[in-house]
Amino acid sequence: MSLWETYIRDVEPYVPGEQPGGENIIKLNTNENPYPPAPGVEKALRDMDPALFCKYPDPSAGILVEALADCYRQPRERIFVGVGSDDVLAMAFLTFFNSKKPVLFPDVTYSFYPVWARLFGIPYETPALDEEFRIKPEDYKRENGGIVFPNPNAPTGLFLPLSHVEDIVKANRDSVVIVDEAYIDFGGRSALPLIDRYPNLLVVQTFSKSRSMAGMRVGFAVGQEELIRALGNVKYSYNSYTMNMPSIVLGTEAVKDEAYFRETRRRIMNTREKAKTKLARMGFSCTDSMTNFLFITHPKVKAAELFEALRQRQIYVRYFQAPRLDSHLRVTVGTDEEMEVLYDFLESYLDRL
């Protein structure tokens, strides 16, 4: 080994969902929204002046911050934006998790958390979910250097009641508690109302799911001014121009169309509830998901084998080869038409057993 090779940072990276190409694909593996963005986004894209690309974007993403402030009825000083919620969360890890005490997050959760912790040299511990895959608030009432968890959780889809979220935040006033609300718009109650009472709470959301903007990479955090100011200081110490101009402009348009936002959410939630019923009739067990995906298992079918069979049919779902997860599949809620293709395949597959 060359000397320079010994200085390379050796990390185990996050593995994103497969992005298959080709035609006639049913893509239910990365929790994207199956519907297009709001009409105003398409219009803004057509009208965009190419001359904008010659200049640096506004490093503060001012028009997007203003739109988010209006939408969520928050002062703009309480809002931080980034390149998807992954960027926002990574900045939050760098900014707030600098104690020698371990950061706490669930053992079954978003798999980027341990990657960031190892990358940034942050000690961490993973309290186990209970037998029903639920977060136990009492496990987070101990000494720690910070707390982060998704609500609803991923990949289980389960929502932690807001009273339990507040219980965790209240018990950890000396730590920053990050609530990752990537899927909150599909039926859960946001922790945003708690921000007024708890200066240690940071709420993170994304445009990738409910706003149909996964390809544009827009995420944001809301918290009291001191937290947002600290995030901004870290951002400007790393890369001041993190968000490109099209994302700022198109993200702003996505926020403005509240009616379209509500309609696509309603369609996805309706399809999700129908899917729970149809899958149960086939013998699948499904958590009571409050997201745009389902977490399913079947007593007669090995998840890995079903995953491969679906893939051969060009139906892509997510399989996690990990303890407690390897008997389950995560299935994104697609359009009604896409879900019918899935049901037809599953019924045929089960009939052959």
Side-chain angles (χ1 to χ4, degrees), residues 11-228:
V11 294
E12 183 178 342
Y14 170 76
V15 179
E18 187 175 1
Q19 297 292 336
E23 299 179 355
N24 302 315
I25 289 172
I26 305 294
K27 191 172 184 298
L28 306 175
N29 66 328
T30 48
N31 300 342
E32 294 136 328
N33 195 312
Y35 302 108
V41 174
E42 182 181 353
K43 183 179 184 303
L45 185 60
R46 289 197 309 266
D47 297 344
M48 193 169 292
D49 183 357
L52 290 173
F53 303 153
C54 304
K55 307 294 184 183
Y56 285 114
D58 173 10
S60 71
I63 61 171
L64 177 57
V65 169
E66 198 67 48
L68 287 165
D70 289 344
C71 179
Y72 293 98
R73 296 177 176 83
Q74 296 283 341
R76 59 174 297 152
E77 293 78 17
R78 287 189 172 189
I79 295 172
F80 174 89
V81 298
V83 186
S85 59
D86 287 342
D87 178 49
V88 175
L89 287 163
M91 288 289 177
F93 269 60
L94 271 174
T95 305
F96 303 120
F97 296 162
N98 293 293
S99 168
K100 294 181 179 179
K101 301 173 185 176
V103 168
L104 306 180
F105 49 81
D107 66 332
V108 176
T109 193
Y110 185 30
S111 55
F112 228 141
Y113 297 162
V115 173
W116 286 319
R118 291 191 295 265
L119 178 64
F120 301 142
I122 299 168
Y124 68 92
E125 293 178 1
T126 56
L129 302 181
D130 68 16
E131 298 79 14
E132 297 179 340
F133 290 112
R134 295 189 180 278
I135 290 173
K136 297 181 287 184
E138 60 270 20
D139 288 345
Y140 296 84
K141 297 178 181 179
R142 66 190 197 206
E143 196 170 29
N144 64 77
I147 293 170
V148 58
F149 58 90
N151 197 33
N153 198 6
T156 64
L158 293 173
F159 176 70
L160 184 68
L162 192 57
S163 59
H164 292 175
V165 173
E166 182 170 13
D167 197 24
I168 293 171
V169 178
K170 186 189 298 185
N172 291 280
R173 293 178 184 270
D174 293 332
S175 301
V176 172
V177 178
I178 302 173
V179 182
D180 180 358
E181 294 187 339
Y183 302 99
I184 197 64
D185 294 323
F186 299 109
R189 288 181 62 204
S190 174
L192 285 172
L194 301 179
I195 287 172
D196 287 338
R197 300 201 296 276
Y198 298 102
N200 61 317
L201 172 63
L202 188 76
V203 177
V204 178
Q205 295 190 15
T206 178
F207 283 37
S208 297
K209 316 301 180 186
S210 56
R211 295 192 185 274
S212 305
M213 298 280 283
M216 293 308 299
R217 313 306 301 126
V218 182
F220 65 99
V222 185
Q224 289 196 19
E225 288 83 344
E226 187 174 354
L227 293 184
I228 300 304

Side-chain angles (χ1 to χ4, degrees), residues 164-339:
H164 292 175
V165 173
E166 182 170 13
D167 197 24
I168 293 171
V169 178
K170 186 189 298 185
N172 291 280
R173 293 178 184 270
D174 293 332
S175 301
V176 172
V177 178
I178 302 173
V179 182
D180 180 358
E181 294 187 339
Y183 302 99
I184 197 64
D185 294 323
F186 299 109
R189 288 181 62 204
S190 174
L192 285 172
L194 301 179
I195 287 172
D196 287 338
R197 300 201 296 276
Y198 298 102
N200 61 317
L201 172 63
L202 188 76
V203 177
V204 178
Q205 295 190 15
T206 178
F207 283 37
S208 297
K209 316 301 180 186
S210 56
R211 295 192 185 274
S212 305
M213 298 280 283
M216 293 308 299
R217 313 306 301 126
V218 182
F220 65 99
V222 185
Q224 289 196 19
E225 288 83 344
E226 187 174 354
L227 293 184
I228 300 304
R229 184 165 50 252
L231 272 173
N233 289 340
V234 170
K235 170 196 168 179
Y236 287 115
S237 300
Y238 180 73
N239 181 359
S240 56
Y241 298 108
T242 54
M243 183 172 288
N244 64 62
M245 181 59 75
S247 293
I248 294 172
V249 173
L250 302 182
T252 300
E253 292 302 318
V255 175
K256 289 179 180 178
D257 197 334
E258 184 70 16
Y260 183 84
F261 170 64
R262 292 184 181 278
E263 174 58 18
T264 52
R265 289 170 56 218
R266 183 193 64 79
R267 293 172 71 181
I268 290 169
M269 288 189 284
N270 285 347
T271 302
R272 178 191 69 203
E273 295 309 307
K274 291 177 187 175
K276 289 177 183 178
T277 301
K278 284 183 175 276
L279 291 168
R281 288 174 182 163
M282 296 182 213
F284 286 94
S285 296
C286 178
T287 59
D288 186 20
S289 174
M290 298 289 278
T291 65
N292 68 334
F293 62 82
L294 302 163
F295 190 57
I296 65 173
T297 185
H298 196 287
K300 297 180 180 179
V301 180
K302 291 185 177 180
E305 293 177 3
L306 180 55
F307 168 78
E308 289 297 339
L310 285 161
R311 196 171 183 275
Q312 291 298 315
R313 178 57 179 78
Q314 292 196 297
I315 301 173
Y316 289 81
V317 299
R318 195 77 191 265
Y319 173 64
F320 299 94
Q321 192 172 358
R324 302 190 72 186
L325 299 179
D326 56 5
S327 62
H328 290 72
L329 296 175
R330 193 192 70 189
V331 182
T332 304
V333 176
T335 63
D336 286 331
E337 294 76 16
E338 289 173 327
M339 299 303 284

Side-chain angles (χ1 to χ4, degrees), residues 1-22:
M1 178 180 290
S2 301
L3 182 60
W4 60 266
E5 290 180 281
T6 64
Y7 300 121
I8 294 175
R9 187 182 297 275
D10 185 19
V11 294
E12 183 178 342
Y14 170 76
V15 179
E18 187 175 1
Q19 297 292 336

